[in-house]
Amino acid sequence: MPKNNALPALILGSLLCLGLIMLGTTVGDKLIKMKAMERTVTVKGLAEKEVRANVAIWPIRFTEVSNDLNQLYQTVEIKTNKVVSFLKQQGFSDDEITVALPAIDDRQAQGYVDPNVKYRYAAKVSISLYTNKVDLLLSTRTNMLSLAKDGIAISDQDYNSKAQFLFTELNNVKPEMVQSATQNARQVAEKFAKDSDSKLGKIKNASQGQFSISDRDSNTPYIKKIRIVSTLTYYLND
């Protein structure tokens, strides 16, 4: 290379090296800052709320037996009407009461006849009550013993005869509970940041868990416990 070109080439090379050094320093600083921004903490926020059920479904069942099929039908009709009349007297309407056809069982048609069976026919009667008058249903259940005076033995011990209680207004409490879960998560995150000598930054991401509705306990199935767990990730700043 000629001597008159050596100096410009040397200057150009020096400038390129200096530029690369400065570029490397800038990129390095940015990477350090980006790395610092990646300091995060992930916490869970819990919110729980107790509510009363707003819908009740009550299957009312009783059984009648007889050796005379016609007499059995007549007895079933009379007692079914008495149960429906009782429910109306308590304050329920026709729209809330559904009467299913009785299920008749002919025990002699089963091939083998148990000699200890006294009656040939058995009718299983089912009357369903679907209502939003939950408190009225609860008080009515305690008055059902009055039907025993008419020879109507209501079955309430087996699983299929248990009253069901539902809460169908979840959308009304969702916003409040999500806010409560978020606040709970932030309190946990702030405690962590304080213990680690950091400051809590913005939310990086958040996910809302599924709402769950369960009975508060087995003795009060008409009181429901609603639960939600939200997961949030916060940035941590020095």
Side-chain angles (χ1 to χ4, degrees), residues 8 10 20 40 65-67 72 76 99 106 131 159 175 180 182 186 188 208 218:
L10 180 61
L20 290 173
T40 60
V65 294
S66 178
N67 285 318
L72 180 64
V76 165
V99 180
D106 184 353
T131 181
Y159 178 79
S180 179
T182 302
R186 185 171 184 85
V188 176
Q208 176 185 306
S218 59

Side-chain angles (χ1 to χ4, degrees), residues 77-124:
E77 183 179 7
I78 292 173
K79 292 189 175 183
T80 298
N81 290 337
K82 286 184 178 180
V83 174
V84 172
S85 177
F86 168 81
L87 293 175
K88 290 182 179 179
Q89 290 173 5
Q90 299 299 308
F92 298 105
S93 65
D94 287 325
D95 294 337
E96 297 170 302
I97 303 170
T98 302
V99 180
L101 290 174
I104 307 296
D105 181 20
D106 184 353
R107 296 168 178 175
Q108 290 187 6
Q110 297 176 0
Y112 170 76
V113 180
D114 188 342
N116 297 319
V117 174
K118 185 177 179 180
Y119 298 101
R120 175 177 177 177
Y121 301 104
K124 296 180 179 179

Side-chain angles (χ1 to χ4, degrees), residues 54-199:
N54 65 303
V55 173
I57 306 171
W58 184 20
I60 304 170
R61 292 185 170 91
F62 64 91
T63 302
E64 284 297 318
V65 294
S66 178
N67 285 318
D68 187 310
L69 190 57
N70 290 329
Q71 182 183 3
L72 180 64
Y73 273 113
Q74 293 176 7
T75 303
V76 165
E77 183 179 7
I78 292 173
K79 292 189 175 183
T80 298
N81 290 337
K82 286 184 178 180
V83 174
V84 172
S85 177
F86 168 81
L87 293 175
K88 290 182 179 179
Q89 290 173 5
Q90 299 299 308
F92 298 105
S93 65
D94 287 325
D95 294 337
E96 297 170 302
I97 303 170
T98 302
V99 180
L101 290 174
I104 307 296
D105 181 20
D106 184 353
R107 296 168 178 175
Q108 290 187 6
Q110 297 176 0
Y112 170 76
V113 180
D114 188 342
N116 297 319
V117 174
K118 185 177 179 180
Y119 298 101
R120 175 177 177 177
Y121 301 104
K124 296 180 179 179
V125 184
S126 179
I127 302 168
S128 180
L129 185 64
Y130 185 98
T131 181
N132 58 7
K133 303 169 186 172
V134 177
D135 290 335
L136 181 59
L137 183 145
L138 292 172
S139 63
T140 299
R141 288 201 306 174
T142 63
N143 298 329
M144 290 297 287
L145 286 176
S146 63
L147 290 172
K149 299 176 182 178
D150 296 318
I152 305 173
I154 302 298
S155 173
D156 61 354
Q157 297 301 318
D158 62 285
Y159 178 79
N160 292 328
S161 298
K162 297 290 185 181
Q164 300 179 51
F165 298 92
L166 310 175
F167 180 73
T168 62
E169 299 177 347
L170 182 60
N171 287 337
N172 293 342
V173 299
K174 270 186 177 181
E176 172 193 349
M177 293 194 65
V178 170
Q179 180 181 2
S180 179
T182 302
Q183 291 174 346
N184 178 253
R186 185 171 184 85
Q187 290 174 358
V188 176
E190 287 176 341
K191 178 67 167 57
F192 179 89
K194 182 179 179 181
D195 293 343
S196 60
D197 294 327
S198 302
K199 294 181 180 179

